[in-house]
Amino acid sequence: MSILVPVADKGITINEVPDRMSVYFEIGECRQNCKGCHSPHLHTQIKDKMSVAAMKSYAQRMVNEGANAIVILGGTTNGLSLVDMKNIIDTLSDVAPVCLYSGTDDKDINEWITDHTGVNWIKTGSYKEDLGGLQSPKTNQRFYRVCVSYCYDMFGTITSCRPNLIDETYKFLPT
């Protein structure tokens, strides 16, 4: 069965992943309803959904034109299952490194994403108007680079791997 994703908008951005020009996909049908949300258009129902294959094709075209990352904005707050998100992230990571703006405070969901997908960056935390976004020193949101550590046995066989999250939220703060 093909996953249909409620993509509200797509394009290129230089603001969402530090030091990257990213293909972005804004995922609609958000259920968070954060007070003061800066993207209220993502709350609406999306009539024409996009297949993961079409997302991959679009991302590949943008990478061919110079983009070097992909960012999915609002990926865990819209009713897509974690398995669907895994398939989306893993498919897109065949094209370029992937960042997920999860939009949720649920640590179990964010940990599952970093443990089970090929995501390279993850932004966690819902938007809280009184704390602000990533550019605010008071923000509850965090931006992490995901680094995987491997453990080997004495024969050089990988025995385990575990993602380590490197907090890079500071890269969004004004200097």
Side-chain angles (χ1 to χ4, degrees):
M1 180 174 125
S2 178
I3 303 166
L4 294 177
V5 183
V7 175
D9 197 13
K10 62 188 185 308
I12 297 290
T13 180
I14 59 171
N15 297 323
E16 306 299 341
V17 180
D19 307 318
R20 298 288 180 141
M21 181 168 60
S22 303
V23 180
Y24 73 84
F25 295 98
E26 282 187 318
I27 309 300
E29 301 181 5
C30 181
R31 299 174 179 175
Q32 288 287 91
N33 297 313
C34 300
K35 182 180 176 189
C37 175
H38 59 73
S39 301
H41 64 285
L42 297 182
H43 300 188
T44 60
Q45 189 74 20
I46 305 299
K47 181 179 173 187
D48 296 319
K49 298 186 177 170
M50 194 172 194
S51 72
V52 178
M55 292 172 73
K56 182 178 181 179
S57 176
Y58 177 78
Q60 187 64 64
R61 280 195 317 274
M62 296 300 100
V63 166
N64 291 346
E65 293 182 20
N68 59 5
I70 299 168
V71 63
I72 302 167
L73 303 159
T76 61
T77 60
N78 49 36
L80 290 169
S81 73
L82 289 177
V83 172
D84 286 347
M85 283 309 305
K86 175 181 175 29
N87 289 331
I88 294 164
I89 291 167
D90 290 348
T91 298
L92 294 176
S93 67
D94 287 343
V95 177
V98 175
C99 174
L100 174 68
Y101 272 40
S102 79
T104 184
D105 297 313
D106 189 320
K107 291 179 183 181
D108 291 336
I109 289 174
N110 291 323
E111 186 174 301
W112 192 94
I113 294 286
T114 59
D115 285 353
H116 294 92
T117 74
V119 72
N120 300 89
W121 303 273
I122 186 167
K123 184 193 102 178
T124 64
S126 60
Y127 178 75
K128 299 196 182 316
E129 186 176 35
D130 57 325
L131 300 176
L134 285 175
Q135 298 80 15
S136 169
K138 299 185 307 182
T139 190
N140 64 299
Q141 298 177 326
R142 308 310 304 160
F143 184 89
Y144 299 103
R145 182 169 40 96
V146 181
C147 296
V148 178
S149 298
Y150 296 94
C151 295
Y152 299 89
D153 66 15
M154 60 191 257
F155 303 106
T157 303
I158 296 174
T159 58
S160 65
C161 64
R162 181 81 183 145
N164 295 307
L165 301 181
I166 311 299
D167 192 335
E168 295 187 341
T169 308
Y170 69 92
K171 291 184 174 183
F172 291 88
L173 296 173
T175 54

